[in-house]
Amino acid sequence: SPVSTMVLLPLIRSQCDVPIIAAGGIADGPSMAAAFALGAEGVQMGTRMLSCAESPVHNNWKDAIVNSRETDTVFLNQQGRPALRALKTELTAGLEPLGKFNIMEHMANLQALYFGGDMEAAIPLSGQVAGRIDEVKSATEIVQDTVGEFYQAVNRLADSYKN
């Protein structure tokens, strides 16, 4: 079964002494600060950057992310490998109950999804964090906003909990 970031990050930190890059549910400075508090030294924002202005994916996919709620994804291939999360589409809704399947069979038309915008052509990989993304921004804006919000969150916490 899936393990949440809140459980996984401190567990990994307790088991190893290498830099950890956290992923999953991170789209802004507060979520980056939370990942750092749990033991990460960096973050990867997959869905957030997939939906940035410079991303080469079709605007249909970006629009689907912007218009999604946090409950508009499915967790696929749970009994197989790799398990993955995707936006809920007719295709992925049909795959969800299977538990285990050959993912590559459903990725053959990937270019039609990525560049043609056909949301049923392949599995549109995206995380639950899509529900927190409400606009397409440039990569520069995303990074600048995230870093600024990170420092605001860390400073607010430091100020709030001083001895």
Side-chain angles (χ1 to χ4, degrees), residues 5-142:
T5 304
M6 293 290 285
V7 173
L8 194 57
L9 274 175
L11 180 62
I12 292 170
R13 173 50 59 221
S14 73
Q15 300 296 315
C16 64
D17 189 28
V18 297
I20 297 172
I21 307 301
I26 302 164
D28 57 13
S31 52
M32 179 179 167
F36 276 48
L38 294 170
E41 287 87 14
V43 296
Q44 184 256 327
M45 300 188 294
T47 301
R48 186 66 192 116
M49 288 306 193
L50 179 77
S51 67
C52 80
E54 297 87 348
S55 171
V57 303
H58 195 278
N59 283 339
N60 288 354
W61 196 347
K62 294 177 190 183
D63 291 343
I65 290 169
V66 167
N67 294 314
S68 289
R69 295 183 322 254
E70 67 281 357
T71 54
D72 289 339
T73 64
V74 291
F75 190 53
L76 302 174
N77 208 32
Q78 292 184 47
Q79 283 122 25
R81 292 293 170 257
L84 44 88
R85 188 164 293 280
L87 290 178
K88 191 180 298 180
T89 64
E90 200 172 302
L91 170 67
T92 61
L95 293 172
E96 185 179 21
L98 298 180
K100 183 177 182 179
F101 59 90
N102 180 351
I103 289 176
M104 295 316 292
E105 289 177 12
H106 303 283
M107 299 303 258
N109 294 322
L110 201 55
Q111 289 194 353
L113 166 64
Y114 271 76
F115 308 116
D118 182 351
M119 295 299 291
E120 299 295 337
I123 299 171
L125 302 175
S126 298
Q128 291 173 315
V129 77
R132 297 193 56 233
I133 298 168
D134 57 8
E135 66 179 313
V136 172
K137 292 181 173 182
S138 72
T140 299
E141 287 177 290
I142 292 168

